[in-house]
Amino acid sequence: LAANDNDIMKFNRDSYTYVWPRDGAFVSMALIRAGQNEAARRFFEFCARVQTKEGYLLHKYNPDGSFGSSWHPWFNGGAMQLPIQADETALPITALWQYFLRFQDFEFLHELYQSFVKGAADFLMTYVDSQTGLPLPSYDLWEERRGVFSFTTAATIAGLRDAANISHALGHFRHAAKYQDAADSMKQAFLKNLYDEDTKSFMKKVQFDKGNMIERDTTADASLACIWMLDILPANDPRMITTMERLKKELTIKTAIGGMARYSHDPYHAIVKGNPDVPGNPWIITTLWHAAWQIERATTLEELKEPLAALEWVKMFATPSGILAEQLDPFTGAHLSVSPLTWSHAVFVDVFLRYKDKIHKLKDAK
């Protein structure tokens, strides 16, 4: 579940007591890194149970597997559309591959291949614009806009790649080749269409009309960090370095509270608008994503001081019982939106373990 805080009812008359497949995938990856397999298994079984016959997962679900409330319409401008976020179909595949790499459970992998992976990967292969090679439009991970996003494209590439890995591990070599070819083709389209030479950064979103690009959204968005986190490009790729440096520059909150916003001019629960020092509220997730990048690139113990400070920053704004919010007031540090947010806890666990592993690696190398 994303959260069980009822305070959000005062803001938008709904709760966070839903299963978002994306949140669940990231939470599962943190659990897997921590060596916890049972909760992750139950999440994968849940995905298989709620998957549509076409292979995709919907926006969010109630705990019993029924459809959750959604503001994404099935019809828009008189035309039918899928009210989905394509990354939510792709990311559970990547999480399942990480589960297998950690626990080597061939029997469970085979079960989930038949009940979920094949249908999800086949859908991702078909949900592609034949003219651009990119995913067809869907909603972004922040659930606000529809289009073709760098984050969604990266997640789709990773999902197809890991569907190929799963297929190969199980001896389904023709399927493995098919999914890998699709991942490779989409990666080429991604690098061609979504990197902006002017800003030296990946773009948040693009829009096409009959194969022609009609919109280029260069908004600095923290989700671009997932391009390296999902292993689409190495953390040290020059395009990734310039992207991450731009995010740090444009999304850092320049108050005593600090932290990083989701994206420039984020209006969600905004305390102030139009303040150049406060591009949005500081989020636990986005602040730690940048710390994870610093950990990945670190070659000395000295270079780990800044990401350690980010982990300590999160601890400072936790409650005495260890509860982390979704976001913070940029002036007081008070919890905003839901608290606890499961995803915030998962990213803290993930980044802490990345830090611990890198500390050991650097010390062993001395």
Side-chain angles (χ1 to χ4, degrees), residues 142 283-290 325-326 341 343-345 347:
W142 309 128
W283 279 55
I284 302 296
I285 294 165
T286 57
T287 304
L288 288 176
W289 277 345
H290 193 84
E326 177 185 74
L341 181 73
W343 194 0
S344 293
H345 288 254
V347 176

Side-chain angles (χ1 to χ4, degrees), residues 295-312:
I295 292 167
E296 181 71 16
R297 296 187 68 224
T299 57
T300 67
L301 294 174
E302 181 70 20
E303 291 173 332
L304 289 175
K305 288 184 177 180
E306 191 171 343
L308 175 59
L311 288 164
E312 291 172 336

Side-chain angles (χ1 to χ4, degrees), residues 22 42 76 79 81 88 113 116 119 138 142 144 146 169 180 228 255 258-259 285 291-292 305 316 329:
R22 172 185 47 261
R42 290 197 294 275
N76 187 17
Q81 65 179 26
E88 296 204 287
Y113 176 80
F116 177 74
S138 67
W142 309 128
E144 296 172 338
R146 187 174 175 84
Q180 189 61 59
W228 77 264
T255 68
I285 294 165
K305 288 184 177 180
M316 181 169 60
D329 185 303

Side-chain angles (χ1 to χ4, degrees), residues 41 100 104-113 170:
R41 281 178 62 103
F100 175 73
Q104 294 293 298
D105 189 341
F106 276 94
E107 183 177 351
F108 186 69
L109 190 71
H110 175 72
E111 175 187 330
L112 265 293
Y113 176 80
L170 295 173

Side-chain angles (χ1 to χ4, degrees), residues 337-354:
S337 189
V338 294
S339 181
L341 181 73
T342 310
W343 194 0
S344 293
H345 288 254
V347 176
F348 181 84
V349 169
D350 177 78
V351 176
F352 171 78
L353 293 173
R354 288 175 186 267

Side-chain angles (χ1 to χ4, degrees), residues 198-213:
D198 292 336
T199 61
K200 301 298 181 186
S201 171
F202 285 95
M203 291 182 280
K204 174 174 180 168
K205 177 183 105 169
V206 292
Q207 290 270 40
F208 291 91
D209 181 24
K210 298 177 182 177
N212 297 312
M213 190 179 294

Side-chain angles (χ1 to χ4, degrees), residues 53-87:
K53 60 182 174 53
E54 293 85 1
Y56 60 83
L57 295 175
L58 287 167
H59 179 189
K60 54 192 171 81
Y61 297 87
N62 292 304
D64 64 359
S66 58
F67 300 158
S69 63
S70 179
W71 49 92
H72 298 162
W74 287 89
F75 284 86
N76 187 17
M80 186 173 181
Q81 65 179 26
L82 283 181
I84 64 170
Q85 298 157 286
D87 63 284

Side-chain angles (χ1 to χ4, degrees), residues 263-267 270-281 331:
Y263 57 85
S264 300
H265 308 296
D266 182 3
I271 299 299
V272 294
K273 296 181 180 179
N275 185 333
D277 291 336
V278 185
N281 297 330
F331 299 103

